[in-house]
Amino acid sequence: MIETDVRVLRPEGFKRMAYTSWGDPRRRDVVVCVHGLTRQGRDFDALAERLDHDLHRRVLCPDVLGRGKSDWLGDKTGYTYPLYLADMAALIARSGVESVDWVGTSMGGLIGLMLAATPNTPIRRLVINDIGPLVPWDGLARIGTYVGEDPLFPDRAAAERRLRERTATYGPMPAERWPAFVDHSTRRDPQGQGLRLAYDPAIAQAFQAVEPGQPIDLWALWDRVQVPVLVVRGAQSDLLPAEVLEEMKRRGPGCQAVEVPGAGHAPWLMSPDQMAPVLDFLKGHG
């Protein structure tokens, strides 16, 4: 695994989007894994290891701008999906291949859905982790209660307690993954007073564009997706209701689904049982 970056062009200039690259760079079978709203690419370490070793894939795991080790934006209105799509197009172009498989959790799943619905899409197989083309307001409102927070933690133990609270709905995480997870999820406070979460709290501004009480409706995009899709749903998810998943299966060509017991939004995809259906689905290429 190596840590590197790609420069993406924004209205305010070029920005550095960090990403981790797994596997032999000469491999032509590439998987792009994109995280959720407040997360970062190292969430996919466990899955990337398996994709590399078991399926012999090259895996690219970006930190979307404003998260992880990527640059933050000066113009906070730039934290929007149309610009994220352009950033990911730059990453795919950097890979040097014509098409990629995509694994996206929550926000990363919506980015993948939008790319897959675009004419001449480079996505050949799509894994969507616990999100769909109809996102209920209740789930959005829950995320909106914390996404703009910028807590200061006096030490690593305090940061871990908050992270465990925030990710309780993701289901169990393998114990050996927690130390690295905390390290990748935090950053040093600029004044050196402790730790903060590893994202720009201004990403919350995107929620201001959502009309209160209204769901996000992307069914028109879903109806344009023609590539094979696997949808992973946490059994207690409030972002992907069971009835939305059933409608996705009814309307989507070749849409498969798997439900993860004991998890809400959004399953970790770290434990062997959660990774297995993703690996099986992606074996269809390569």
Side-chain angles (χ1 to χ4, degrees):
M1 181 272 291
I2 61 171
E3 294 183 334
T4 184
D5 62 78
V6 60
R7 304 288 167 157
V8 297
L9 180 59
R10 290 303 192 97
E12 63 191 83
F14 283 96
K15 291 293 183 178
R16 173 181 168 274
M17 185 170 72
Y19 67 97
T20 54
S21 177
W22 300 76
D24 190 331
R26 296 171 296 183
R27 291 174 180 165
R28 306 301 294 171
D29 287 305
V30 176
V31 183
V32 178
C33 299
V34 182
H35 56 80
L37 180 66
T38 64
R39 302 298 314 140
Q40 37 70 41
R42 299 302 299 270
D43 285 3
F44 292 103
D45 280 6
L47 182 62
E49 289 167 6
R50 293 287 304 276
L51 288 166
D52 174 14
H53 295 138
D54 296 3
L55 300 190
H56 308 294
R57 305 297 166 87
R58 184 179 172 203
V59 189
L60 308 179
C61 305
D63 294 345
V64 176
L65 290 184
R67 290 87 165 171
K69 295 183 177 179
S70 290
D71 287 345
W72 290 13
L73 296 176
D75 177 4
K76 308 304 183 181
T77 64
Y79 292 127
T80 61
Y81 281 92
L83 294 175
Y84 293 152
L85 298 185
D87 297 342
M88 295 305 153
L91 177 64
I92 293 171
R94 165 65 66 87
S95 75
V97 300
E98 293 292 325
S99 60
V100 300
D101 292 334
W102 188 279
V103 179
T105 294
S106 195
M107 177 187 74
L110 291 180
I111 295 172
L113 188 161
M114 293 173 187
L115 286 172
T118 302
N120 301 312
T121 179
I123 295 181
R124 60 184 184 181
R125 287 203 165 204
L126 173 62
V127 179
I128 298 177
N129 184 20
D130 208 66
I131 202 72
L134 188 72
V135 186
W137 168 251
D138 288 349
L140 292 170
R142 176 180 60 80
I143 294 173
T145 62
Y146 68 77
V147 66
E149 294 178 351
D150 189 19
L152 175 64
F153 305 109
D155 53 36
R156 195 173 181 281
E160 180 171 341
R161 285 194 295 272
R162 176 64 66 87
L163 287 165
R164 286 183 180 273
E165 292 171 0
R166 275 204 184 183
T167 62
T169 61
Y170 294 21
M173 181 195 289
E176 67 274 12
R177 294 285 175 184
W178 267 104
F181 175 79
V182 175
D183 290 342
H184 297 311
S185 299
T186 55
R187 57 185 169 89
R188 289 289 174 188
D189 175 66
Q191 281 72 48
Q193 298 176 353
L195 297 171
R196 295 187 183 273
L197 297 174
Y199 68 87
D200 183 352
I203 63 175
Q205 291 187 17
F207 280 83
Q208 297 174 358
V210 180
E211 184 179 349
Q214 297 299 311
I216 296 174
D217 188 336
L218 301 175
W219 282 116
L221 287 178
W222 177 251
D223 290 339
R224 296 208 298 265
V225 173
Q226 297 298 312
V227 302
V229 180
L230 172 67
V231 183
V232 180
R233 176 180 184 266
Q236 285 84 49
S237 176
D238 62 349
L239 268 290
L240 179 56
E243 59 270 22
V244 173
L245 178 55
E246 289 304 311
E247 184 69 2
M248 292 173 74
K249 290 160 60 178
R250 188 186 71 81
R251 293 165 68 156
C255 178
Q256 304 175 37
V258 62
E259 192 167 81
V260 178
H265 183 79
W268 285 117
L269 303 185
M270 289 189 188
S271 59
D273 60 316
Q274 290 189 14
M275 290 188 285
V278 176
L279 295 169
D280 288 343
F281 177 74
L282 295 179
K283 282 179 183 176
H285 280 282

